[in-house]
Amino acid sequence: MLKVDSINGYYADLHVIKNLSLRIDQGEVVALFGPNGHGKSTLLKILCGLQHPKSGTILFNGENITAYPSHRIVELGIAYIPEARDLFGDMTVMENLNLGAYNKRARHSIPQNLEFVFEIFPRLFERKNQLCSTLSGGESRMVAVARGLMSEPSLLMVDEPSIGLSPSLRSSVFEALAKINREKGITLLIVEQEIRDALSMANRIYMIKKGEILFEKPSAEVDINEIEKAYF
Amino acid sequence: MESFLNALVSGLISGSLYAAMALGLTIIYGISRIFNFGHGVIALIGAYIAWIFVQNSKIADTSLLLGILVAIVFLFLLGFLLYRYTMNPLMKKPNWEISTVLFMLGLGILLENVILQIFGPRVKSIPVFKEGNIRIGMVQINWHEIIIIFIVILAIFLLNLFFKHTRSGQAMRAVAQSIPGAKVVGIDIEKIFGYTFGLAFVVTGISGILLGTKYYMNPHIGWEWMVKGFVIVCFGGLGSTNGAIYAALILGVVEALATLFLSAMWVWPIWFAIFMIVLLIRPQGILGGRV
């Protein structure tokens, strides 16, 4: 589905992604681990077109999307949920969700997608007319994921879904993600620091360090110690 | 009492004209964070285009309507293309905040001189929509001013509908609130900025036409209009459309009362004194915020 071939990416002047290659198959849940500042977020931004690599290619379903701007990539079916959420604070939850379906493809299925989104996040239904700037951290996170789902993606990339959430909220966000994968067949790429949670739902993991892939494994074969060791 | 009431009404009328004038400025700033220093000249272009169509008529007729339509189309394209070929490349460079301001300022001076070459330095005006006046109690108001207020209210209403209920309008608000968020949901922000400039130029041109019917115009008056718009927009809160409307009405009434009780000479000093006091106490303006 997604094939990344030896890309190089920069954060300001820093060479943070070095000759990195990876692939994601249809229907998979892939977790991306690695210490902070080692290029995980930059990689996601490159994959969704917010930044462009200096070299290398990115193929999505066979189409070369390396130089595409973000709005074309969304149109093709890749959604990115930034860690910073980037919600529209002066708009209601409903307005944010409708804007999630901005691309032409998603416009026609707004009612079905809304129904699914409210089913996995019933809390958002209660808050649908509330301004996003008045939501709690957990609710904002839910809106961010829901807004991404409204774009009707086939690949959903989530940057640190659990950051800043209480353990109970954290597990409900992970449950929601699992359900998205299971019921909608949406492929997931998750960057996460909560290794155990992410490991339990992922099929495969990539460990990234200093902008390079340190190793790649099916999660069943992963020894949690080797991941923790890689962090230091 | 009678003169006080009449001053109040005429203040609200000029206030609504100033509101129309300030809207285009605040729309562009609120969405793109560019401060359009060519604003006054854009308003003048609208007024002069309308004038071309009505120069031979004594009263407003369908030719004025045609002139307004041509001005709308011309200004939309001007705004869209100007963004695309000048603002867009400038915004990708460092220090774009100042380079865009200087560019628009330079463009304003250039266009002012183009207008001077084409239309000459003499004062012109656009005929009023409808002659005659009516009396309501102690207040005398002419039909033309009633129509102006109606047009301004209608324009504000339509703009609100546009921002609330159309996809492009919602996308503009989204871009104003979070550019990364807008990109993430798949909004082509460069296209939206282009539409924003087109829309704001149209609104500005219409305000210029209204000003040209109530007052007069010459190639240089755009700067005076722009300074007024500038004061209103800063007073109301940069980027806040509602703030601009309130500020324009307040300053319109202040202008009328200052003229009545002191003299017209006092209008500018009082405006600026209020403006600076507001800035000192509340730098974000009365309703600092976004579109």
Side-chain angles (χ1 to χ4, degrees), chain A residues 50 70-71 74 80-82 85-91 95-96 98-104 107 147 151, chain B residues 163-164 167-168 170-171 173-175 177-189 191-192 290-291:
Chain A
L50 287 178
S70 50
H71 60 96
V74 174
Y80 162 64
I81 318 288
R85 295 162 201 159
D86 296 320
L87 299 182
F88 309 119
D90 293 338
M91 293 195 212
E95 286 177 303
N96 270 267
N98 276 322
L99 276 164
Y102 186 80
N103 76 74
K104 284 201 191 77
R107 247 171 255 179
R147 194 180 62 177
S151 75
Chain B
F163 282 125
K164 264 254 162 317
R167 292 176 44 75
S168 299
Q170 288 172 340
R173 282 163 64 217
V175 170
Q177 290 175 31
S178 168
I179 287 180
K183 285 184 175 170
V184 160
V185 298
I187 294 172
D188 180 350
I189 65 162
K191 200 158 95 189
I192 291 299
R290 278 149 178 200
V291 175

Side-chain angles (χ1 to χ4, degrees), chain A residues 112-125 179 183-184:
Chain A
Q112 301 90 293
N113 286 334
L114 270 180
E115 201 179 313
F116 178 68
V117 155
F118 287 141
E119 184 199 320
I120 54 173
F121 299 119
R123 180 91 69 99
L124 296 187
F125 185 74
K179 201 166 174 185
E183 290 184 13
K184 287 262 165 174

Side-chain angles (χ1 to χ4, degrees), chain A residues 151-185:
Chain A
S151 75
E152 206 163 81
S154 47
L155 170 62
L156 184 68
M157 308 190 295
V158 197
D159 198 356
E160 308 234 5
S162 76
I163 197 164
L165 300 187
S166 68
S168 69
L169 268 173
R170 199 158 72 206
S171 59
S172 63
V173 166
F174 276 110
E175 270 165 39
L177 288 172
K179 201 166 174 185
I180 289 163
N181 175 255
R182 206 170 51 234
E183 290 184 13
K184 287 262 165 174

